[in-house]
Amino acid sequence: MKTSIATVSISGDLPEKLDAIAKAGFSGVEIFENDFLAFDANPRDVGRMVRDCGLEITLFQPFRDFEGMPEPHRSRAFDRAERKFDVMQELGTDLVLVCSNVSPIALGGLDRAADDFRDLGERAKKRGLRVGYEALAWGRHINDHRDAWEIVRRADHTNVGLILDSFHTLARKIDVNSIRSIPKEKIFIVQLADAPLIDMDLLYWSRHYRNMPGEGDLPVVDFMQAVAATGYDGYLSLEIFNDQFRGGSPHSIALDGHRSLIYLGDQIQRRAPEGTIGLPKMPDRIHVDGVAFVEFSASEEEAEKLSGHLHILGFQVAGTHKTKLVTLYRQGEINLVINTEHEGFAHSSYLVHGTSAYAIGLEVDDAKATAERARALIAEPFEQTVGPGELTMPAIRGVGGGIIYFVDQKSDLKNIWEIEFNMIAGEEPRDGVGLRRVDHIAQTMKYDEMLTWILFYTSIFKVRKTAMVDIVDPAGIVRSQVVENTNGRFRLTLNGAENRTTLAGHFIAENFGSGVQHLAFETNDIFATASALHKNGFTPLQISPNYYDDLEARFGLDIGLSDRLRSANILYDRDESGEYFQLYSPSYGEGFFFEIVQRNGYRGYGASNSIFRIAAQKRHMRPKGMPRV
């Protein structure tokens, strides 16, 4: 599979862009004219610089307002084209993109446009160049790839072909199956972009909100499947206009782009005939059966405090590692690990982030296959020295730098606790409070990193993403989106902070990076759990009494239920599927906290309660300037 990306898709000057594109694994690059014009080097030197990076210039773009112009504008358009051809020959590329005319003086007519392209094709042929025509979704006369193809067909010139762009086709909801009848040799390049579904002006939508395939809501897979049906085997190129990407890390965005194309190619290869895409085979997206464990890094002193919190939550020590300073706590299906080693990745993580949930273990169908798929999608493998009697657990680095381990039931990994730990015989959670399993893990990151996290998880695991919702913090808005599997055994809430004054933003700033901000545990009876917690000395997050007064009116709650919620500081929500109960701990350190939930068929995450929860948490945070405790 040959992959390319337009320089306009990422930030930086031209050398920075080329370096990021090459390191991400692309084989080609589209040179966007403004990137070339803003760089102080002649086209021959730029071409050499591209080739020194191991890249091919797949396209020079764009050439605007060409076809259907009245004289003297038509003659000027051909003169401009000759100048573009001069630059292309020095750059060392043979293909130019001509986008459909948007000029108010452009004349309509398919035959008129075809005549112009036939003449332009003849000029290009003399120089060994090719011309690709693209229908802009907002073109004055041509805004549909079917009309653009008809012009190319009527031009009937070997050096004139079609350029297909998924955004322009999908934004206008044009039937993608119309692509299937286009001869593959007349498709000169395919440009790909996704976008969130937003009802706005097409030009503004395109120029500011495009994103990588798989990050938005457009049916890019259906588009690409139709392209694959033609037998097209040329470059798949990304052309992304996005305000966040222009201000982000060029290396991160380029890596996302290449990952998105690999994921897209994998989906098409599973639908299309063998060999159409030419992508090496990889395991299919992986089903996650649940969270096997969550591991914290801590110092001995802070581990003692964290252990105290866990005991109050009903967790008991289930075992200690045979050779390392690692302790296992257990309740129901939940395994929590505290690592106080003085070396290794856990210790390094502690030195940077303080006490944190730095690693997650996922139970999957096949741990080895999961790691293999993740590596194929450019995830960074994680390895560290394995001691005597220890198992090698497949693992990768997550987007935020944490670790994701994989365990399964088909290898020795199913017995990892018994193999590596001295388990306490007959261990029973005597003071358990009814916590059964991990309901969801909440990870917090900067808002402009959210698309990266979503693409990472959805490309590797068999999960779906929910619609983005706004979490109202008294200091601003936090964007929240969920990735989850269909049976609810694996749920991640991803919370993107736009400023550091929100609770989420404070967590990122004070912990020096993204990470797990809270763990939510499931119970079958939250009132019984709250009672047991109270006996253990648990102090719940104190919710404003005003919340409960409004709750009664909003849902028409029975006064008895309302009183029980109020007395236990339990929040409540309801959707068309059922009820939801939430109980929170105060924040520990710089914003980490625990949540206990009960789902009675409810499918959401209590977003409407977030403002009340966050306000309460901020009241409990340490005053600014006070030392950590």
Side-chain angles (χ1 to χ4, degrees), residues 34 36 52 59-60 63 79 93 105 112 153 155 172 174 275 285 394 408 503 508 550 565 581 583:
N34 284 348
F36 165 71
D52 286 346
L59 180 66
F60 185 58
F63 183 45
D79 290 342
T93 185
I105 65 171
R112 178 182 287 108
R153 190 189 68 80
R172 281 197 167 271
I174 298 168
R285 288 200 304 162
D408 58 30
L503 185 70
I508 295 170
D550 177 71
L565 293 169
F581 301 86
L583 176 63

Side-chain angles (χ1 to χ4, degrees), residues 393-608:
M393 193 183 310
I396 58 173
R397 295 288 296 270
V399 179
I403 306 301
I404 304 176
Y405 290 101
F406 306 120
V407 300
D408 58 30
Q409 293 297 310
K410 62 173 60 176
S411 67
D412 289 342
L413 292 169
K414 65 184 177 185
N415 297 317
I416 189 168
W417 306 120
E418 289 74 16
I419 292 172
E420 293 195 5
F421 284 70
N422 292 313
M423 300 299 290
I424 297 176
E427 178 271 328
E428 290 291 339
R430 294 183 299 277
D431 297 319
V433 298
L435 305 185
R436 298 175 55 246
R437 51 181 291 273
V438 174
D439 182 85
H440 62 272
I441 297 175
Q443 295 181 302
T444 298
M445 70 289 302
K446 294 179 180 178
Y447 171 63
D448 58 12
E449 298 173 355
M450 278 189 71
L451 290 175
T452 298
W453 289 69
I454 291 167
L455 178 64
F456 180 83
Y457 287 124
T458 56
S459 64
I460 297 173
F461 303 110
K462 196 172 291 184
V463 292
R464 63 192 177 193
K465 59 184 179 183
T466 66
M468 186 174 292
V469 298
D470 292 342
I471 302 299
V472 180
D473 183 298
I477 296 294
V478 175
R479 314 292 181 184
S480 184
Q481 195 161 10
V482 174
V483 293
E484 59 186 10
N485 60 10
T486 54
N487 64 7
R489 295 285 298 179
F490 178 51
R491 300 185 179 103
L492 296 174
T493 61
L494 307 179
N495 302 306
E498 294 186 329
N499 68 70
R500 64 177 298 161
T501 59
T502 61
L503 185 70
H506 176 86
F507 174 81
I508 295 170
E510 295 298 322
N511 289 279
F512 299 101
S514 309
V516 175
Q517 187 171 9
H518 87 261
L519 298 176
F521 304 126
E522 179 187 286
T523 179
N524 284 337
D525 187 337
I526 199 163
F527 294 107
T529 294
S531 176
L533 286 169
H534 178 73
K535 293 177 181 177
N536 283 355
F538 176 75
T539 301
L541 184 68
Q542 300 296 304
I543 306 300
S544 168
N546 295 330
Y547 165 81
Y548 296 98
D549 293 337
D550 177 71
L551 200 64
E552 293 175 11
R554 193 153 41 102
F555 291 108
L557 295 183
D558 175 85
I559 191 68
L561 175 58
S562 178
D563 287 344
R564 295 181 75 192
L565 293 169
R566 188 194 310 264
S567 64
N569 286 278
I570 294 171
L571 295 103
Y572 176 88
D573 195 23
R574 183 191 300 162
D575 64 14
E576 67 279 1
S577 301
E579 297 178 302
Y580 193 53
F581 301 86
Q582 300 169 279
L583 176 63
Y584 288 95
S585 74
S587 295
Y588 304 117
E590 298 302 331
F592 181 87
F593 57 95
F594 294 103
E595 177 185 8
I596 297 166
V597 305
Q598 179 182 336
R599 292 179 182 272
N600 296 343
Y602 181 91
R603 296 180 181 176
Y605 295 84
S608 62

Side-chain angles (χ1 to χ4, degrees), residues 25 85 119 206 248 266 268 276 284 351 354 372 384 411 416 432 450 456 461 479 487 513 542 592 625:
F85 290 168
D119 291 347
S206 174
D266 178 56
I268 299 306
T276 300
D284 199 355
L351 293 177
E372 182 183 341
Q384 63 181 358
S411 67
I416 189 168
M450 278 189 71
F456 180 83
F461 303 110
R479 314 292 181 184
N487 64 7
Q542 300 296 304
F592 181 87

